[in-house]
Amino acid sequence: MNPVVSNGEITFIFWNCALNPPRVKKIPTLSDVEFVISQISEIINSSNADVIVLSEITHVSFDQLGKAADPEKYDAELLNFKTNRSIFDIAIIYKKEMKILEAAPLIKEVYGAELKVAVKIKIEEPYQKQPISIYASHWPSFRTPNSEVLKTHAATALKIQIENGLANDENIVCMGDYNTEPFSSIISVNLSATNDRHNVIKKPHHWLYNPFWKLLNSRLCFEKSEGSHDLGTCFGRSNHRPNWATFDQMFFSASFLRNKGWSIIEEDTGRYFDDSLLIQLRKNTSSINHFPVKTKIRYL
């Protein structure tokens, strides 16, 4: 078998690090800020991440995150675009070899309010000099009044934007905390994100590929795994619903499924796991409740 010839690799990370949740004025604890800084450093060192997109970050915490990445190798930007009544909570840390061509908010007016659909970040990668459009989202939680209606509007607005990009043969990666599961109609119908690779390849201008279905169920034998955990991305204690949910996901245009050009590497796509993260998520004293999610693409 011939070895895989790579003409470049890019690792993307998305993490809702929960330091500055929307509409919460509480200042994050020093221990949580220090943990996030150390975890971002660990992610960079262990995965050689090229692009890290963060949510629940505002100016309150952003300046401190400069300690997490080598300033000679990485740049960082706070993409806190404002709406009439709110503000985006997205930030990006990226290697200096990457070039940001565009960063703009996608907003949808719903019932007189402005819904934060996504931040579009168009980058130019350093290997083939091709643009890749990233749509980074943080959609309303179930605690938000009418959250399902709002998320449905967000998915529809994002789908329209993506279809315009697909018509122009854009390479598209969506990532975010969608506060809804992969199987929900919001994701599978309104956004047309599916785990069926065949359908995505067959109808590339309609479907997006969602590999995060694999996090819905444990793949380890619980009796033999000594309490190891391998499902879900978000932890919340509850007696009324599962403690673990797969809210953090990434979706890909068909251009990443053809094993030609930029291609998704399945074994490096999923949840970024670290034992210290699992411990932190389960702490009653910590506001951090999400694992990062990751993907690697390789030019073939």
Side-chain angles (χ1 to χ4, degrees), residues 102 120-123 131-135 170-174:
E102 175 189 351
K120 180 180 181 180
I121 312 164
K122 182 179 281 190
I123 65 170
I132 298 174
S133 293
I134 301 169
Y135 289 91
E170 287 187 16
N171 296 312
I172 292 175
V173 180
C174 300

Side-chain angles (χ1 to χ4, degrees), residues 17 28 43 51 54 127 142 190 212 234 253 260 262 267 296:
C17 57
I43 289 171
V51 176
L54 304 169
Y127 304 101
F142 66 90
N190 296 95
F212 282 79
C234 177
S253 59
K260 183 179 180 181
W262 284 112
E267 60 266 29
K296 179 182 287 185

Side-chain angles (χ1 to χ4, degrees), residues 197 209 211 214 257 264-270 295-296:
R197 293 174 66 107
Y209 175 56
K214 61 188 173 185
L257 301 184
I264 180 177
I265 308 303
E266 288 279 0
E267 60 266 29
D268 288 317
T269 298
T295 191
K296 179 182 287 185

